[in-house]
Amino acid sequence: MSTVIEPPITPVEKLHEEVETVTIRFAGDSGDGMQLTGTQFTNTSAVVGNDISTLPDFPAEIRAPAGSLPGVSGFQLNFSSQEIKTPGDQPNVLVAMNPAALKVNLADLEEGGTLIVNTDGFTPENLKYANYASNPLEDNSLAGYRVHKLPISTLNMNALKGNVELSRKEIDRSKNFFALGVLYWLYDRPMETTLSWIHAKFAKSPELAKANEIALKTGYNFADTTEVFTTHYTVKKAKIAPGKYRKMTGNEATALGFIAASQLSGRPLFYGSYPITPASDILHELSRHKSFGVKTFQAEDEIAAVCAAIGASFAGQIGLTGTSGPGVALKQEAIGLAVMTELPLIIVNVQRGGPSTGLPTKTEQADLFQAVWGRNGECPAIVVAPATPADCFHMAIEATRLAFKYMSPVFYLSDGYLANGAEPWAIPSIDSLPKIDVKFATDPATFMPYSRDEETLARPFALPGTPGLEHRIGGIEKQHISGNVNYDPENHHLMVKLRQEKIDRAANEIPLVEVMGEKTGKVLVLGWGSTYGSISSAVEKMQREGKSVSSAHLRHLNPFPRNLGEVLAGFETVIIPEMNLGQLCTMIRAKYLVDAVPFSKVKGRPFQIREIVRKVEEYL
Amino acid sequence: MSTQANGNGSNGNGNKPIVEAVSADSEVGSAVSGRIAPPPGQLKKADFVSDQEVRWCPGCGDYAILNNVQKVMPELGIPREKIVFVSGIGCSSRFPYYMNTYGFHSIHGRAPAVATGIKCANPDLSVWVITGDGDALSIGGNHFIHAIRRNLDINYILFNNRIYGLTKGQYSPTSEFGKKTKSTPSGTIDYPINPLSLAIASESTFVARSIDIDVKHLGVMVDAAAKHKGISFIEVYQNCNIFNDHAFDYFADRSVRSDKVLYLEHGKPMIFGKEKNMGIRMKGAHPEVVTIGENGITENDLLVHDIYLQDPSVAFMLARMEQPDFPQPVGIFRAVERPTYEAMLVDQIDASIAKSGPGSLEQLLNSGETWVVE
Ligand code: SF4
């Protein structure tokens, strides 16, 4: 585009260096567009063939006061020419758009790391907001870092003023694209992916499209010509398995997984939900896919959301409800009803920091007990947990399969880190996906509402609309086989045991847990859910160093895989890192009488690889 | 380290598989199901009676309502298998067990939400919600409002006995102010809620009221509700002869009913009284009771009932009329048309398929920015 300002200086000779892995964190005000900048950098890096992993980190307030500490929004991205499984322990590069962003994030930046600051954001007012007594850009406090001070707002304003018909305020909003342009030059990224995104996104506002395009290109050219940067870096394509890939966040994968489950089972999907962070994106995503027959229902509250899903299950659809921990707390009575009526139901819990409102935008794994034991009475349900953002897709299918096969509620425990984190996803062929078999009773001569399958103990599923199978179900104890209301003590004892035995039997056909590394040794690191990336990276690193450590990751938490006891027995010490105070650890100790060691981190942030390495080393 | 793998989980009886108990014809396992085979041809009332023993207290008003609903059912011409009764918790909520249709006895207050899911999943079903004053207006108040405003094609019958029966006699959200009950020995200080006011405020497209002992009228209301396309809300005054006996006698008892109850009929002037000489007339913005023939008042001065008024103001005004200042109105207060929730839900899906064809999983998985690794 002709309007791009070419800086009037002769280009300086720049050095080119190759690096393996880079971790960048973009940080600014929640209004600065840092999530967008990070996402664009991620998409481009994925498309050029790097392995990627991301960790968005945003405040609970949509727009906390500009420049304030609580208003800081961050996006961390790890990209590499090697296989990576985490968003990186420590950023190598920090982009800080204002003093608050610097204050909140500087401690995480590696020693000697690169710091790119927007000096225009360092006004006396903003410095005061961020509780800086003196300007860190001037008081030598950043001496340990490679600091690049760029007047990003001014440079961007100069490039755009007069070239677009936008107000100064509107122009200033495109400064994140200028910063992105600088980073694209610095890490040798092509601009095409972002340019086509800009033009698609702002198709209806050509002036904004133009502004963002100019900002991006000017940032790029500026970095190329300025003397501030002497070197730029290349991160080569990663050696990942051949195939077709796309970038996937956990929430996207969850939504797509349930749509796939619906196609694979031939049962339409009904999603009842009440908006809640960090699960709402599943509702947004599913509501876009009506052509798959997906029915989304934004309910008046969490209880109505799950009850409507139960109603839909009763009528033969995939009854799905999604929420976070506080929502599950409200739904539990209804989940008990689904246990009693033995209907398939799936409850997605995108866990966040608790208790109560807790840390709505931060990740945590503290709802495991809630899923396994959190209802009144003996009330067993199946519990599964995806391990990575991409795994969310497969576990959604698995949850649906188990719900139908065992006529049982199934908890699906994701978390904020999986939900918003992204990684490349090898698009599976449709043929490789498992079929989900759903059988309905149709024969009035043999139908009994609470008779049981000999193998699974599941009761028959009779849909309203089937002639001759009219029957009544409900939350009162059922008589074995007939399903009539029954208060008999012997019957209750039997039914309590039957409901438990049914869930226990699911262990017969869930996959065995795999040991990554030697099957016996000094330390086994056992994990579940989103800790997979950090645990497996740490363990693989130590294995390369010849240490006697293996890892195993549980995707089924109730019941446990049937070989778990045997696996645990192969190691001197079992360490269980969890973002809670040791919930899986307590379950393992109780069930297997193993003196497992809890390793807790409940800070709203995922484990770092090195934290796990350090912990394991204590036991070697 | 030694590990004791107790692989058999939480099955309390060690390793003995429970399946034995399942297949064996044990005492509890041999219970017979009393399902009645679907009758050929025309359905009769008896076809809607389930094999379950009805367990309400003898004399309870619930019997009359059950009897009436079972009587109306065959006239609707809907096959039994397409009918679902859903309830919450309370005496009235046992209702589905006694209907030989599909039934779901859910949890306290949540019947409208369960029914919403059923109706959305399968709009072909005729869905009925049976609830009580505590179930619908106290613990389930939120679902009451929202199920009604969405206008699903569901029939919603509230048995109002102005008391908590199943929990043995505490006051309910419709109990009259000052009522002395087990939980309010000094009288309630809760102001009661009016179910019809709330239903109308929630934009109900069909609102009616009847009385358990007025068998004929109740039947007509149930029939009209079933035929209305959209939410049909009926409040039925129901006598709880154990914890709130005679609660409605002051207007519903046969000896006073014609003087104290106003039977609303569409297109007819509002007349009541043994002598059919009392009526309702508007005085400014307010209704008043007048006597035909006194002060030159004729039938022509009376308010004529119109159930089709889009504006709910008159229906609301009627819902506020009560003893002793006014006769207690029963009948259909309002019956207006609005698209149903489930129809619009299905329309959006159909429109989406019409526009871009039925969803392809292959395409969906391959959408967005993709790249190929060789
Ligand atoms: S307690 Fe009252 S409402 Fe309940 S069954 Fe007995 S009479 Fe009927």
Side-chain angles (χ1 to χ4, degrees):
Chain A
M1 188 174 283
S2 60
T3 43
V4 174
I5 309 298
E6 300 294 341
I9 29 177
T10 22
V12 280
E13 227 12 70
K14 300 286 174 101
L15 301 173
H16 215 126
E17 233 179 74
E18 197 181 308
V19 284
E20 185 187 290
T21 304
V22 180
T23 307
I24 302 181
R25 188 181 296 173
F26 297 93
D29 248 348
S30 38
D32 279 343
M34 290 297 101
Q35 301 302 324
L36 177 59
T37 312
T39 307
Q40 283 303 315
F41 199 108
T42 306
N43 290 354
T44 294
S45 301
V47 170
V48 301
N50 296 142
D51 200 358
I52 52 153
S53 176
T54 70
L55 174 65
D57 180 24
F58 29 77
E61 292 77 16
I62 302 299
R63 288 283 158 90
S68 70
L69 295 168
V72 173
S73 168
F75 188 102
Q76 185 164 316
L77 156 71
N78 197 14
F79 59 107
S80 176
S81 57
Q82 297 299 317
E83 195 191 346
I84 48 168
K85 294 173 185 163
T86 77
D89 281 5
Q90 273 191 304
N92 314 112
V93 182
L94 173 64
V95 180
M97 297 299 277
N98 66 12
L102 181 67
K103 182 121 196 187
V104 170
N105 292 289
L106 187 64
D108 294 334
L109 182 62
E110 69 172 6
E111 235 174 275
T114 300
L115 180 59
I116 298 172
V117 290
N118 176 17
T119 53
D120 292 326
F122 284 67
T123 59
E125 198 191 10
N126 279 347
L127 286 164
K128 216 176 96 198
Y129 257 147
N131 298 331
Y132 274 117
S134 65
N135 188 343
L137 302 182
E138 289 157 10
D139 64 8
N140 216 27
S141 61
L142 302 176
Y145 306 98
R146 267 189 286 167
V147 186
H148 301 297
K149 302 178 204 172
L150 310 181
I152 292 177
S153 310
T154 309
L155 291 167
N156 190 51
M157 185 62 69
N158 290 344
L160 283 157
K161 214 173 33 188
N163 287 317
V164 287
E165 279 164 34
L166 293 172
S167 68
R168 289 182 70 87
K169 209 169 146 198
E170 285 167 320
I171 288 178
D172 197 52
R173 251 185 241 141
S174 65
K175 65 176 180 292
N176 57 329
F177 279 97
F178 185 98
L180 184 62
V182 170
L183 271 293
Y184 273 3
W185 179 84
L186 205 52
Y187 290 98
D188 207 12
R189 318 265 97 179
M191 285 185 275
E192 283 72 32
T193 306
T194 297
L195 287 174
S196 46
W197 180 86
I198 288 175
H199 287 288
K201 174 85 184 171
F202 298 105
K204 291 206 181 97
S205 358
E207 281 306 290
L208 288 179
K210 192 171 157 194
N212 288 329
E213 173 170 355
I214 297 174
L216 180 74
K217 288 182 172 171
T218 312
Y220 190 96
N221 291 339
F222 169 80
D224 191 14
T225 47
T226 179
E227 287 168 28
V228 171
F229 300 110
T230 54
T231 312
H232 59 151
Y233 305 90
T234 307
V235 176
K236 284 229 174 107
K237 269 183 198 267
K239 288 177 273 306
I240 36 185
K244 192 169 172 193
Y245 284 80
R246 67 182 279 191
K247 192 194 67 165
M248 198 67 128
T249 66
N251 272 349
E252 263 178 294
T254 301
L256 264 48
F258 283 111
I259 293 174
S262 165
Q263 297 281 302
L264 296 166
S265 63
R267 303 313 305 161
L269 178 62
F270 177 93
Y271 186 58
S273 190
Y274 184 78
I276 185 169
T277 303
S280 301
D281 281 340
I282 300 172
L283 175 61
H284 305 159
E285 184 68 25
L286 286 175
S287 64
R288 293 174 48 227
H289 297 295
K290 295 198 166 40
S291 65
F292 289 87
V294 177
K295 290 174 178 166
T296 55
F297 170 62
Q298 183 177 317
E300 59 269 29
D301 59 29
E302 296 281 0
I303 299 172
V306 66
C307 286
I310 292 170
S313 286
F314 178 61
Q317 303 210 333
I318 299 176
L320 175 67
T321 186
T323 185
S324 189
V328 173
L330 287 164
K331 292 179 197 290
Q332 290 281 35
E333 188 200 9
I335 296 166
L337 175 68
V339 168
M340 197 62 151
T341 52
E342 304 194 37
L343 286 170
L345 170 75
I346 304 134
I347 309 103
V348 169
N349 178 355
V350 185
Q351 300 165 92
R352 67 188 213 187
S356 188
T357 307
L359 306 173
T361 59
K362 311 289 182 213
T363 195
E364 205 161 286
Q365 292 182 299
D367 300 343
L368 179 59
F369 282 175
Q370 184 193 43
V372 179
W373 290 314
R375 292 164 296 285
N376 65 302
E378 294 291 349
C379 198
I382 294 173
V383 181
V384 302
T388 67
D391 189 40
C392 289
F393 178 81
H394 298 285
M395 290 315 279
I397 297 171
E398 172 72 348
T400 311
R401 182 184 75 86
L402 291 169
F404 279 118
K405 179 140 195 188
Y406 291 90
M407 293 291 283
S408 166
V410 176
F411 277 90
Y412 169 101
L413 298 180
S414 172
D415 63 31
Y417 171 40
L418 291 178
N420 294 312
E423 64 178 15
W425 181 58
I427 300 170
S429 78
I430 307 293
D431 301 339
S432 70
L433 301 175
K435 292 278 165 294
I436 300 175
D437 214 14
V438 186
K439 283 200 239 47
F440 296 115
T442 51
D443 180 10
T446 56
F447 173 69
M448 286 287 181
Y450 274 72
S451 64
R452 292 183 187 276
D453 181 277
E454 293 233 336
E455 181 204 330
T456 62
L457 297 186
R459 74 176 189 91
F461 198 177
L463 298 190
T466 315
L469 302 193
E470 296 83 4
H471 65 288
R472 276 68 56 193
I473 57 171
I476 302 184
E477 183 60 282
K478 297 279 159 284
Q479 184 173 37
H480 178 46
I481 298 181
S482 78
N484 290 334
V485 169
N486 189 292
Y487 301 102
D488 177 64
E490 292 306 318
N491 178 69
H492 178 54
H493 190 73
L494 172 66
M495 293 301 278
V496 164
K497 289 202 297 174
L498 277 172
R499 286 186 287 263
Q500 180 64 52
E501 169 81 5
K502 182 177 75 163
I503 301 306
D504 292 343
R505 285 200 190 184
N508 292 336
E509 53 120 24
I510 62 175
L512 298 179
V513 63
E514 277 176 52
V515 179
M516 288 162 275
E518 295 296 327
K519 299 224 166 1
T520 55
K522 283 201 171 138
V523 173
L524 176 76
V525 186
L526 180 69
W528 69 280
S530 71
T531 53
Y532 172 78
S534 319
I535 291 176
S536 57
S537 303
V539 169
E540 280 163 22
K541 180 170 181 283
M542 297 178 84
Q543 285 170 347
R544 283 195 295 271
E545 292 160 5
K547 308 219 164 111
S548 175
V549 49
S550 299
S551 69
H553 210 75
L554 291 171
R555 293 152 92 224
H556 296 82
L557 292 139
N558 197 39
F560 288 130
R562 60 185 192 284
N563 66 332
L564 182 56
E566 205 182 301
V567 165
L568 299 173
F571 296 86
E572 287 171 29
T573 307
V574 175
I575 301 175
I576 306 183
E578 291 178 89
M579 294 186 286
N580 61 45
L581 292 182
Q583 299 191 5
L584 174 64
C585 193
T586 302
M587 288 170 66
I588 294 288
R589 293 173 70 108
K591 176 151 175 140
Y592 299 101
L593 304 181
V594 167
D595 191 14
V597 179
F599 179 34
S600 294
K601 177 176 179 181
V602 201
K603 299 181 176 179
R605 288 193 173 186
F607 281 97
Q608 294 179 337
I609 296 168
R610 57 186 177 167
E611 289 170 336
I612 292 175
V613 169
R614 255 185 257 130
K615 183 71 185 181
V616 173
E617 270 166 356
E618 287 173 31
Y619 292 86
L620 286 175
Chain B
M1 173 184 295
S2 81
T3 302
Q4 297 182 12
N6 168 20
N8 219 358
S10 4
N11 173 1
N13 61 358
N15 290 345
K16 186 167 166 262
I18 282 191
V19 74
E20 268 175 42
V22 179
S23 43
D25 217 13
S26 69
E27 227 180 307
V28 284
S30 61
V32 280
S33 151
R35 283 179 306 96
I36 304 166
Q42 200 65 39
L43 292 167
K44 292 184 247 358
K45 182 191 169 206
D47 296 322
F48 288 92
V49 179
S50 83
D51 63 328
Q52 298 298 294
E53 185 196 337
V54 184
R55 295 203 194 159
W56 289 312
C57 309
C60 174
D62 290 356
Y63 284 95
I65 307 175
L66 174 65
N67 196 39
N68 240 304
V69 171
Q70 286 169 336
K71 219 157 65 195
V72 169
M73 282 291 135
E75 289 159 27
L76 300 176
I78 304 169
R80 272 190 330 189
E81 68 270 17
K82 294 221 162 157
I83 299 170
V84 186
F85 276 82
V86 186
S87 63
I89 295 292
C91 292
S92 57
S93 287
R94 298 298 176 94
F95 196 98
Y97 291 121
Y98 309 138
M99 294 294 300
N100 194 14
T101 62
Y102 283 90
F104 202 147
H105 178 210
S106 78
I107 44 175
H108 208 6
R110 319 303 172 199
V114 173
T116 297
I118 295 172
K119 189 71 183 175
C120 288
N122 186 353
D124 271 357
L125 299 171
S126 167
V127 180
W128 297 70
V129 169
I130 303 295
T131 185
D133 37 325
D135 192 55
L137 301 168
S138 204
I139 195 166
N142 199 27
H143 310 306
F144 177 92
I145 297 168
H146 293 278
I148 287 181
R149 78 171 162 92
R150 289 192 187 104
N151 197 38
L152 291 122
D153 186 14
I154 287 176
N155 310 300
Y156 198 151
I157 308 180
L158 187 156
F159 295 20
N160 183 4
N161 57 13
R162 297 188 179 164
I163 199 79
Y164 280 78
L166 197 63
T167 50
K168 300 196 163 73
Q170 302 82 5
Y171 73 102
S172 92
T174 55
S175 293
E176 51 290 10
F177 184 81
K179 190 180 187 67
K180 288 194 172 149
T181 71
K182 269 199 195 136
S183 57
T184 52
S186 315
T188 65
I189 52 172
D190 272 21
Y191 197 78
I193 199 166
N194 176 329
L196 291 195
S197 304
L198 189 60
I200 294 167
S202 307
E203 312 293 345
S204 186
T205 54
F206 179 100
V207 179
R209 179 192 276 156
S210 193
I211 306 169
D212 56 357
I213 52 172
D214 195 346
V215 176
K216 240 172 109 188
H217 183 261
L218 176 58
V220 175
M221 292 301 109
V222 172
D223 187 62
K227 288 175 179 151
H228 174 73
K229 197 100 188 101
I231 195 91
S232 324
F233 177 73
I234 313 180
E235 176 192 23
V236 183
Y237 290 131
Q238 173 245 319
N239 191 45
C240 167
N241 55 309
I242 301 296
F243 296 107
N244 201 16
D245 202 10
H246 307 298
F248 306 104
D249 284 2
Y250 66 101
F251 61 84
D253 192 77
R254 241 176 244 290
S255 60
V256 295
R257 202 188 296 164
S258 45
D259 279 334
K260 300 203 168 167
V261 170
L262 166 65
Y263 286 89
L264 296 168
E265 283 182 82
H266 176 70
K268 303 257 175 77
M270 294 178 196
I271 295 177
F272 66 103
K274 238 193 303 284
E275 314 291 330
K276 300 223 176 295
N277 64 340
M278 309 292 283
I280 305 292
R281 161 179 98 161
M282 291 303 288
K283 187 184 180 194
H286 303 284
E288 66 170 348
V289 175
V290 292
T291 309
I292 302 170
E294 274 179 19
N295 304 323
I297 290 171
T298 70
E299 257 191 52
N300 292 338
D301 298 312
L302 303 182
L303 201 53
V304 175
H305 189 42
D306 183 353
I307 60 174
Y308 302 124
L309 284 177
Q310 281 297 330
D311 182 340
S313 309
V314 176
F316 191 81
M317 180 192 82
L318 293 170
R320 305 302 298 175
M321 296 198 324
E322 58 182 19
Q323 281 285 302
D325 298 338
F326 290 95
Q328 205 84 13
V330 300
I332 300 171
F333 286 63
R334 170 176 165 79
V336 297
E337 293 286 322
R338 205 169 76 222
T340 66
Y341 183 88
E342 69 275 10
M344 293 187 285
L345 184 67
V346 171
D347 282 353
Q348 288 192 345
I349 289 174
D350 291 347
S352 167
I353 293 172
K355 195 171 151 217
S356 49
S360 145
L361 188 58
E362 181 88 45
Q363 259 174 36
L364 176 67
L365 300 189
N366 285 278
S367 63
E369 200 90 49
T370 63
W371 66 96
V372 174
V373 175
E374 307 281 336

